[in-house]
Amino acid sequence: MLTAQIALFDGFDLLDAIAPYEVFCAAAMNADNALKVEFVTAEGPRSVTSGINGLKIEANGRLDPERAGIILVPGASGEVEGDGPDSIPAILGRAMNTELTGLIGQALGQKDIVIATVCGGSLILAMGGLLEGRPAVTNHLGMDLLGATGAIPIPARIVDDGNLVTGGGVTSGLDVALYLVERELGPRIAHAVERLFEFERRGTVWRKTGMAPGSNKSSRGGEPNIVADTVTRNYGAIDNKIAQASIFDGDWDTTIATPVGKMEVKLSISTSDSMIKGTATQGDETVEFMDPVLQSNKLTWSLRITKPMRLNLKFEVAADGDQMTGIAKAGILPASKLTGKRIF
């Protein structure tokens, strides 16, 4: 029997979860109960509060990362703007910091499990470092953030990458579930469910097969790779060269206040061969600045971090004596405030 586990977390979007649940239940009725579907959580059986008016759903099991079948992760419902505790980025961040990320990581290593996501569900996996280098889609508002995690954003309704199937905005949960029913149980069962619901899937399912469009054109005309594009600049070589002594040279203790917590990061900046260089150390991990550029009195660079989530951040800072201030930005996440002090 094929099983479908829908993994809930506090603040989940109701339609992201309920639509696939109904599709899978209808498929089970049309396939002589060859499919079983249940709501689960990373913690085990409990009442889970959704992000829609606090409506609760009972989950009756713990997510099993070794059970063959389908695991579906919905997105979140909350405030679209701002960085408060009820904002979508904050809800996704809290879900990412539960056992859910680790359990999904285990499941991705099983050859008989398909991981599916709806809307912001892919961002939970991506921020946890599980989708780096993999094509995926999320709600259109989160595509920049998806790219900033190292995933490859594809502007399609559904993206099929083998054991990973991701869906776009909220209503794509219907399309994702119907596609999985067709893929796992066959087109006649999927067609029967479509007739029952009076709903037809829309859009072409993107897969990395066949001819690539516009292969003789520049990469800007094909599918966007936001990670590669974000650091493209054309300031000229002279803009990367700086005076013999930079106002940013030295070691800095900085604090970055993100929507999901504060990060303590040590920056080391130096001038070598008329070029500015830098590293960022967080815990026992040190990463080099990508494409540092000094213009007027501001220094910008990109940096890949892994804690508290995996992101490519774009920094813009200014120095006033031994004090540093600035911002760090990634996709739709609100800009994080950076403050620092030169210690050497």
Side-chain angles (χ1 to χ4, degrees):
M1 175 182 291
L2 180 68
T3 64
Q5 302 178 80
I6 300 178
L8 304 182
F9 54 87
D10 291 320
F12 75 94
D13 184 271
L14 276 173
L15 190 58
D16 286 3
I18 295 296
Y21 182 85
E22 286 209 39
V23 169
F24 291 144
C25 287
M29 289 189 298
N30 282 279
D32 296 326
N33 292 316
L35 171 65
K36 177 184 178 182
V37 57
E38 63 177 335
F39 289 124
V40 298
T41 75
E43 301 79 24
R46 67 179 180 92
S47 179
V48 190
T49 304
S50 76
I52 306 293
N53 292 331
L55 184 66
K56 297 177 184 283
I57 296 290
E58 290 295 325
N60 57 10
R62 183 176 187 270
L63 176 62
D64 185 348
E66 297 183 354
R67 188 190 305 170
I70 299 166
I71 297 175
L72 186 140
V73 182
S77 179
E79 298 172 1
V80 176
E81 298 180 355
D83 57 358
D86 295 325
S87 67
I88 289 177
I91 295 171
L92 295 175
R94 288 195 295 270
M96 183 269 297
N97 283 318
T98 68
E99 293 183 69
L100 179 61
T101 305
L103 292 172
I104 295 297
Q106 293 179 46
L108 281 169
Q110 307 292 326
K111 61 183 179 180
D112 52 1
I113 295 179
V114 177
I115 304 298
T117 67
V118 179
C119 201
S122 59
L123 292 175
I124 296 175
L125 277 58
M127 292 188 297
L130 300 180
L131 301 190
E132 188 165 356
R134 300 197 66 168
V137 67
T138 187
N139 187 291
H140 70 280
L141 295 174
M143 291 292 277
D144 283 353
L145 177 56
L146 184 64
T149 67
I152 302 172
I154 304 294
R157 181 75 165 169
I158 300 175
V159 174
D160 182 343
D161 191 39
N163 68 340
L164 174 69
V165 176
T166 55
V170 181
T171 58
S172 70
L174 285 167
D175 299 281
V176 168
L178 280 165
Y179 175 68
L180 289 170
V181 167
E182 178 183 2
R183 201 177 100 158
E184 302 299 321
L185 297 178
R188 286 185 290 179
I189 299 298
H191 181 252
V193 176
E194 284 185 340
R195 291 191 63 195
L196 177 64
F197 286 6
E198 296 189 6
F199 174 85
E200 295 180 355
R201 291 199 328 257
R202 82 170 197 255
T204 300
V205 175
W206 185 95
R207 292 181 294 165
K208 197 175 182 179
T209 60
M211 295 177 59
S215 57
N216 62 336
K217 299 178 182 178
S218 67
S219 60
R220 300 291 296 185
E223 292 142 4
N225 186 336
I226 296 173
V227 176
D229 291 342
T230 50
V231 297
T232 302
R233 298 182 177 93
N234 188 27
Y235 295 135
I238 192 169
D239 289 316
N240 278 321
K241 295 184 178 181
I242 62 175
Q244 193 66 22
S246 167
I247 60 172
F248 296 95
D249 278 3
D251 293 335
W252 302 78
D253 277 344
T254 68
T255 300
I256 305 171
T258 76
V260 293
K262 292 184 177 180
M263 298 188 297
E264 305 296 330
V265 181
K266 180 180 179 180
L267 304 179
S268 295
I269 303 172
S270 64
T271 305
S272 177
D273 298 327
S274 297
M275 299 292 291
I276 193 164
K277 298 180 180 180
T279 61
T281 300
Q282 184 186 14
D284 58 358
E285 184 178 24
T286 299
V287 182
E288 292 186 0
F289 289 6
M290 295 186 294
D291 296 280
V293 174
L294 182 65
Q295 281 198 313
S296 301
N297 63 339
K298 291 187 177 181
L299 177 64
T300 64
W301 72 90
S302 294
L303 189 72
R304 173 161 294 185
I305 66 165
T306 58
K307 299 174 183 177
M309 62 183 69
R310 184 159 301 194
L311 287 175
N312 283 349
L313 289 175
K314 299 199 305 187
F315 288 79
E316 181 179 298
V317 302
D320 183 6
D322 290 333
Q323 302 297 317
M324 177 183 287
T325 58
I327 61 171
K329 192 79 171 67
I332 62 168
L333 289 179
S336 300
K337 183 179 180 181
L338 179 147
T339 57
K341 182 178 180 180
R342 195 190 326 251
I343 59 175
F344 179 75

